[in-house]
Every structure is written in C-alpha cells, then in structure tokens.
Amino acid sequence: MNRKRIVITGIGGLCALGSDAPAIWDAMRNGRSAIGTLVHAPLHDLKTRNGAEIGELPEHGIDRKQLVSMDRFSLLAVIAAREAMRQAGLVSDETNTYRMGTVVGVGVCGWEAIEENYRALLLHGKNRAGIFTVPKVMPGAAAGQVSMSLGLRGPVFGVTSACSSSNHAFASAMDQLRSGRADVMVAGGTDAPLVWGVVKAWEALRVLAPDTCRPFSADRQGLVLGEGAGMAVLETYEHAVARGATILAELAGAGMSGDASDIVAPTVEGPTAAMRACLLDAGLAPEEVDYINAHGTGTKANDQIETAAIRRVFGAHAYKLSVSSTKSMHAHCLGASGALEMIACVMAVREGLVPPTANYREADADCDLDVTPNVAKKREVRVAISNGFAFGGTNAVVAVKAA
C-alpha cells in the first residue's frame, strides 16, 4: 500500500525526570529514577506517600488570561507542545493554520479542579463552583488549550483510553495526516493524577507499590503514579522535506486492539493483536524490531502477560530484542506515559542507546527477556516500538523508525 510517510520533527516533555525533553532523556539514559516521597500534593489521609511529581514548572510565559482557565494537566500539555514546536521550527500563520492540528491523550482529566470544587462546596460551605470548572475539567481541554496557545485551527480533539491514551493520540494524528486533513499534527498525552481523590481510588485497587516501581523484577510490588506530559510534532514526509526540517525519526505505524474481556484484568491476546497490527501497519517484520519500550507497569500480572505477548509476536527473536520500562524512572503517568515513552523511542533510534529498567533486583522466570536491567545498553536501534495497554482492555502500539 502506497501511503504517506509520517515523520517526527519535534519533541517536548516535562515530568519528574526533567523540565524538557533533553533533561528527560538524560535522566533515562543514565537510569535515574525520579520516584520519591511526594512533597507538593496535599495527601490528607493517604497511605501512599510515594510518586513522581514535578518539582518546579519551567518558565513558560503563558498569558494569565489563558492560565486561569487551565487545569494542571492542560498546562503541562501546553508547555510540552510549545517545546516540540520550537524544536520543529514551526509557527502557525494565515497560510497554514488550518493545515495544522493537535490530538492530546488524557487518562483522568482535570481532577485538580474537581477536587478543589468538591472541597469548597462540601467541606467549606461555598455555594457555587468556580466559573471555569467545566472548561478546566473536560478531557478535551488539553487539546483545546494547545490549539489556542499555538494557533492550530486544523483537526483538534482529545482522546481518552486510560493508559493507552498517548498512543491512541499518535495513531489518530497519523490518520489525519495520512488522510490529507492536515500537514502537521501536534500529538501526545498529559496527566496530573497526584491529587487526593485519584490516589485514594488507586489505593483501593491495591496495585500501588509501597516503595518504588520495579518492572519485570521478581520482587516487584506494583506501580507508582506520576505526572507529566509529552508531545511530538508529526508531519508528512513531503511537508517536512519541502520546508527543510530536521527529521528526528519516522512514525512508521500503529496498531490497536480491544481485549473485550475484563475492565481491569489484561489478556495475552489483546496486546498480541495490537503489536501484530502495528508491525503490519508499519510494513515491518518482527525481526526488524530492535527495542521495545514496554508498558511495564511493575504489577505481577501485567509484566508477566506483556512478556508472554512479546514471545508470541516475536518468537525466537524475542530473546534478541532489548526491552525496558522507563516507568521505573518517570513512574506511571497514565495518559502521559506513552508520550514520555515516545521521547525514549525517538532518542533510542537517534543515539543507538536503550534506556534501562531502573530499580531491577531479581530475575523472574516468567519475565525472562532482556529487560536491560539498571544500566543503558549501547546497540543499533533501527526500529523501536512502544506498548500501551490499559484498563478497559484498550491496547495501542506505535512503531518508530530511524530517519
């Protein structure tokens, strides 16, 4: 099938690892985990005291009139999107504004504003909610705020599929470009779940680790929550070449599937189908993949099932792959995770370096792949894939190829 090639010309991000994409990658490549004691979030009666929070936001210059209508998850997305656009060297004007759009994935929406309003109304006796509550909390707010900040008037929408949201956003943005609806799409994900109500709900699921995140390690005890955002500028190859852009990597394909099984328990079949669909879409043989940025949450079941799915898809080649979970460093940022992991994949193919799985201590016979424990590995990475698997059985996988 002769389809438009889609390339990446800019990346941006911020999370506990750093306030921009270069800082995030520097921490990843050096195996530095940002998981620690939460100090900024009001924790009230929470048992959970660990996470990966952003210490301080970078100077962003966002107009105060826009700031007052933004929840934290939208603010993070705008900061990351601005960085990605600067690297891409793109500015919207009357000649291109309707050919540029954005898709932003979100896992939980604007819970900071929700919690502030519930506390004001129910605990402190206030008689009305904040005037911007609705536009702050809606899941599509981040996409709208990015479009306003950057002047993008093409396809603009949000997607939400829990922990697969970022990869669904990349797939959706790719579809807009392939279909000819746009020449440029700013795509990624964002989430700011470190608020009392959200963490309290995750505590009830009994999947949070008491200390840190140890994906694929036999002594893993669960996931750790984090906050952040990641964005990538996607363009058609022709558009990027015509303007003389530096191409960082190619977004070669995407695959999606649904488990249709259980709202929280994953299957082997769903992730297997998504990875196979991604390879088919990208026109890649399994043997061409060098690195998998795993979903790798650090829960017993998820890591074991993901390992089994990788074995099914890649066969004997599964043992020649490098695999790692960068959630061991930036934690599980829910809707933002896949976008932060996109930074890892782009930089892995550019530098020929596989970021490690930090905090790894003990081999697990059920997770017997090369999970790159603790120390980055130098190797040629021509193709990297990023796995996103979510509650609801929604799976999305994307493939990144060297430019």
Side-chain angles (χ1 to χ4, degrees), residues 43-116:
L43 301 179
H44 306 289
D45 63 342
L46 290 174
K47 297 174 185 175
T48 301
R49 298 278 153 170
N50 62 324
E53 63 185 346
I54 297 168
E56 186 177 353
L57 293 178
E59 289 293 328
H60 50 66
I62 297 170
D63 182 76
R64 186 182 174 279
K65 281 181 66 177
Q66 188 177 6
L67 275 176
V68 297
S69 66
M70 299 167 71
D71 197 78
R72 186 173 178 85
F73 80 111
S74 292
L75 175 58
L76 301 182
V78 171
I79 293 171
R82 285 183 163 199
E83 180 193 353
M85 284 286 275
R86 283 195 302 271
Q87 184 179 28
L90 278 167
V91 177
S92 69
D93 57 36
E94 65 277 3
T95 68
N96 61 21
T97 182
Y98 290 100
R99 299 294 300 166
M100 302 168 73
T102 183
V103 187
V104 183
V106 177
V108 294
C109 80
W111 266 94
E112 191 174 62
I114 291 171
E115 185 155 306
E116 285 174 1

Side-chain angles (χ1 to χ4, degrees), residues 13 32 63 82 103 108 115 128 137 167 203 216 233 257 295 297 306-307 323 328 335 337 368 377-378:
R32 292 199 301 269
D63 182 76
R82 285 183 163 199
V103 187
V108 294
E115 185 155 306
R128 70 175 188 178
V137 306
N167 282 358
E203 279 186 349
F216 304 112
V233 175
S257 71
H295 187 58
T297 60
E306 184 170 13
T307 302
V323 179
S328 60
S337 285
D368 59 348
K377 176 185 291 185
K378 200 74 176 153

Side-chain angles (χ1 to χ4, degrees), residues 268-285:
V268 175
E269 291 78 13
T272 297
M275 283 188 276
R276 284 177 173 158
C278 178
L279 295 177
L280 181 64
D281 186 53
L284 293 167

